[in-house]
Amino acid sequence: MQSLEVRIMKTKWKNASSLDLNGENQQDANGLCDMITVLKGRRPGSTPNSDSGMWAHSMTVQDYQDLIDRGWRRSGKYVYKPVMNQTCCPQYTIRCRPLQFQPSKSHKKVLKKMLKFLAKGEVPKGSCEDEPMDSTMDDAVAGDFALINKLDIQCDLKTLSDDVKESLESEGKNSKKEEPQELLQSQDFIGEKLGSGEPSHSVKVHTVPKPGKGADLSKPPCRKAKEIRKERKRLKLMQQNPAGELEGFQAQGHPPSLFAPKAKSNQPKSLEDLIFESLPENASHKLEFTRFLCSSPLEAETPPNGPDCGYGSFHQQYWLDGKIIAVGVIDILPNCVSSVYLYYDPDYSFLSLGVYSALREIAFTRQLHEKTSQLSYYYMGFYIHSCPKMKYKGQYRPSDLLCPETYVWVPIEQCLPSLENSKYCRFNQDPEAVDEDRSTEPDRLQVFHKRAIMPYGVYKKQQKDPSEEAAVLQYASLVGQKCSERMLLFRN
């Protein structure tokens, strides 16, 4: 692919007296605006045709929003787009829907671990080698039928039958001979039902098993300590209000100590409840969270209808007892918060700061949505299904993957079966669907040539190189019609 140098402009035109074009100072470039982006080259270390890339010195937040919705991504000042059907590891843009997000079991463990460390100074045992990705997928892929194998449940009915027979014989010689046979037949009946997949009838066998052979079915089942604590709490509440709750339960014919209704506090806690849970006054540690505007190719904007902090790039700093332990880089764009990267002190890797920061950023997106309704997504970069270490992003549900051909968002659950069969997939199942923002009018593409801005329709009449048209059309297909009309393609 030929190198491209692109300049992104505002629609508000004005004169600019000094511009840095391809490393040379050009004077009196009339008609240019005050916000200019220089994009050039290929990502360092990339192989030919593995991606398309450009260097960005300045960019509007709307331009970048439109680019990432077409599979582009920035790393510092470099903006690149993988060639999905040619790279060895296709990288699909992934976004989470924070408004419907519910933390998984593993997410809650990370948040509770942080709270315990802050409150009591508890340090979890064991290493955290998976940081910052934490790619365990225990409960995150519970709904991914493509990744779950059926469990073969086998019951050793012969051992159970032998135990029943031996225990019956030891009970006494006065028992009828038919009883063991009837019981064994009952067990065989259960075995047939289990093997056939049909529901079986429960058969009560009041026998005492041999030591180490299993639970005593003649005794009530054991109860978990958590259930016992809840039972005690319900009893205490009913004692405090015997004329209220107690009468209601007795009227239904239920023993009040066993069938008390669950309190509303048993509802699952929200993400915000888990993150901002209050700490005791004598907490061992104090974690502070600050945000600063940082230097990046994105131009900061503060429109009246935007978030209070404005749009642009920000550093989110994590301070522990006055010491900075992590910094997250995010881009706040018109429709999303885009996570760029996180760097942290490895001495605190036991806190799973990669997962913790992602959950904080999801909560922050929810907060921004309250003021700016269209800002309702959390972009997590690229999802690489063929790389186990990069599949961790699928834990944050619900989430969507970007179709690499039509650029529409598809729920990740619908994409996973296809990704199990092929690394590269078109997620849009409609064979007639096309890219709605494809370049349909290339002559309207804006070109900067010899210090003048002109539409491509005018520029191509001056060119004799047949390869020039192919390069320009390829650029137009990568950035889409909207961006091609707002950005200037530099040609010399």
Side-chain angles (χ1 to χ4, degrees):
M1 174 183 291
Q2 296 184 0
S3 297
L4 301 177
E5 185 171 298
V6 186
R7 298 181 175 274
I8 301 178
M9 308 295 183
K10 269 185 176 179
T11 55
K12 179 180 179 181
W13 301 103
K14 69 180 238 181
N15 294 338
S17 60
S18 179
L19 299 172
D20 183 14
L21 304 181
N22 199 22
E24 299 178 359
N25 289 327
Q26 305 289 338
Q27 303 294 327
D28 300 325
N30 294 329
L32 297 182
C33 72
D34 58 344
M35 293 181 63
I36 299 171
T37 301
V38 178
L39 305 172
K40 180 181 180 181
R42 179 182 288 122
R43 178 157 57 100
S46 64
T47 58
N49 298 324
S50 65
D51 61 30
S52 305
M54 306 177 288
W55 288 101
H57 294 274
S58 178
M59 183 184 300
T60 65
V61 291
Q62 186 60 61
D63 287 337
Y64 187 52
Q65 177 71 70
D66 291 340
L67 285 176
I68 63 174
D69 284 335
R70 294 185 63 82
W72 291 82
R73 193 73 183 163
R74 85 173 182 90
S75 176
K77 291 188 175 183
Y78 188 78
V79 186
Y80 63 99
K81 182 183 184 338
V83 180
M84 300 288 285
N85 58 352
Q86 297 180 23
T87 182
C88 63
C89 300
Q91 304 163 58
Y92 300 93
T93 302
I94 183 172
R95 73 178 185 184
C96 173
R97 286 173 262 156
L99 304 185
Q100 295 83 34
F101 174 79
Q102 289 294 333
S104 66
K105 185 177 179 180
S106 60
H107 295 153
K108 292 178 182 178
K109 286 182 179 179
V110 170
L111 296 175
K112 291 178 181 178
K113 178 170 57 177
M114 175 65 79
L115 289 173
K116 288 181 180 179
F117 173 73
L118 296 176
K120 304 178 182 179
E122 292 185 9
V123 177
K125 298 179 181 179
S127 62
C128 297
E129 297 178 354
D130 283 334
E131 269 297 310
M133 298 177 181
D134 263 5
S135 58
T136 54
M137 301 285 287
D138 295 340
D139 53 341
V141 298
D144 301 344
F145 55 86
L147 303 180
I148 296 179
N149 295 324
K150 293 183 179 180
L151 298 177
D152 293 326
I153 303 176
Q154 299 179 351
C155 299
D156 192 350
L157 297 175
K158 184 178 184 299
T159 303
L160 177 61
S161 299
D162 293 339
D163 291 341
V164 172
K165 183 177 180 179
E166 292 175 10
S167 60
L168 285 173
E169 291 176 351
S170 63
E171 285 182 358
K173 297 181 180 180
N174 296 330
S175 300
K176 295 182 180 180
K177 295 182 180 180
E178 291 81 1
E179 288 181 353
Q181 185 175 359
E182 291 175 357
L183 288 171
L184 290 175
Q185 291 175 349
S186 299
Q187 297 300 330
D188 292 337
F189 174 74
I190 296 175
E192 293 175 1
K193 291 294 182 180
L194 287 173
S196 62
E198 299 178 8
S200 59
H201 301 284
S202 60
V203 179
K204 295 183 179 180
V205 184
H206 297 290
T207 60
V208 181
K210 297 173 66 175
K213 291 293 186 177
D216 187 350
L217 301 179
S218 64
K219 296 181 180 180
C222 296
R223 300 174 63 191
K224 293 183 178 180
K226 184 176 181 181
E227 294 179 355
I228 296 175
R229 288 196 299 270
K230 288 183 178 179
E231 178 69 19
R232 291 174 181 171
K233 185 176 181 180
R234 287 196 291 268
L235 285 172
K236 185 177 181 180
L237 290 174
M238 286 187 291
Q239 289 174 358
Q240 294 174 353
N241 187 19
E245 297 182 29
L246 187 59
E247 291 180 359
F249 304 139
Q250 290 177 335
Q252 296 177 13
H254 300 311
S257 61
L258 297 177
F259 295 93
K262 293 183 178 180
K264 292 183 179 180
S265 59
N266 288 337
Q267 295 296 326
K269 291 184 178 181
S270 68
L271 177 61
E272 289 76 10
D273 292 336
L274 293 168
I275 290 178
F276 303 111
E277 186 170 330
S278 59
L279 296 172
E281 295 181 359
N282 60 341
S284 300
H285 300 283
K286 181 180 181 181
L287 181 67
E288 297 177 287
F289 186 73
T290 59
R291 187 178 305 107
F292 296 95
L293 190 67
C294 65
S295 176
S296 88
L298 300 185
E299 292 291 335
E301 299 179 23
T302 54
N305 60 341
D308 294 336
C309 59
Y311 298 116
S313 298
F314 295 83
H315 280 167
Q316 298 203 107
Q317 301 179 352
Y318 297 79
W319 293 81
L320 181 67
D321 301 331
K323 174 186 177 182
I324 190 167
I325 63 170
V327 177
V329 182
I330 62 171
D331 294 331
I332 301 179
L333 305 176
N335 299 333
C336 72
V337 170
S338 176
S339 178
V340 183
Y341 45 78
L342 172 84
Y343 49 95
Y344 64 96
D345 187 337
D347 291 342
Y348 297 91
S349 60
F350 63 88
L351 292 175
S352 302
L353 292 173
V355 176
Y356 182 78
S357 65
L359 296 174
R360 290 291 301 243
E361 289 168 3
I362 291 174
F364 178 55
T365 306
R366 288 178 168 181
Q367 178 185 343
L368 296 179
H369 173 77
E370 295 177 0
K371 170 70 183 301
T372 309
S373 59
Q374 72 270 19
L375 204 163
S376 54
Y377 296 102
Y378 175 62
Y379 283 47
M380 297 178 285
F382 290 131
Y383 173 85
I384 307 177
H385 188 75
S386 56
C387 177
K389 272 290 184 180
M390 293 300 291
K391 292 170 65 175
Y392 73 98
K393 296 178 183 179
Q395 293 184 13
Y396 301 88
R397 304 291 182 88
S399 58
D400 309 301
L401 296 182
L402 186 67
C403 177
E405 297 182 8
T406 62
Y407 302 112
V408 297
W409 295 98
V410 180
I412 190 171
E413 293 84 0
Q414 299 180 22
C415 304
L416 293 177
S418 299
L419 290 174
E420 284 293 299
N421 297 323
S422 175
K423 290 183 179 181
Y424 174 76
C425 300
R426 171 193 166 108
F427 299 137
N428 192 330
Q429 299 299 315
D430 182 2
E432 304 297 328
V434 296
D435 172 15
E436 295 295 335
D437 190 39
R438 65 191 182 280
S439 178
T440 55
E441 299 179 83
D443 285 353
R444 298 184 60 178
L445 181 149
Q446 298 296 301
V447 177
F448 183 74
H449 179 61
K450 293 183 179 181
R451 301 185 183 181
I453 297 174
M454 62 188 73
Y456 175 67
V458 175
Y459 166 77
K460 69 180 181 180
K461 294 178 182 179
Q462 307 173 12
Q463 301 305 308
K464 299 180 180 180
D465 185 358
S467 65
E468 180 70 1
E469 182 176 10
V472 173
L473 294 180
Q474 184 182 30
Y475 156 79
S477 67
L478 291 172
V479 301
Q481 185 69 35
K482 290 184 295 186
C483 284
S484 70
E485 295 183 25
R486 290 199 304 259
M487 301 190 298
L488 296 183
L489 175 63
F490 176 77
R491 311 304 286 173
N492 56 25

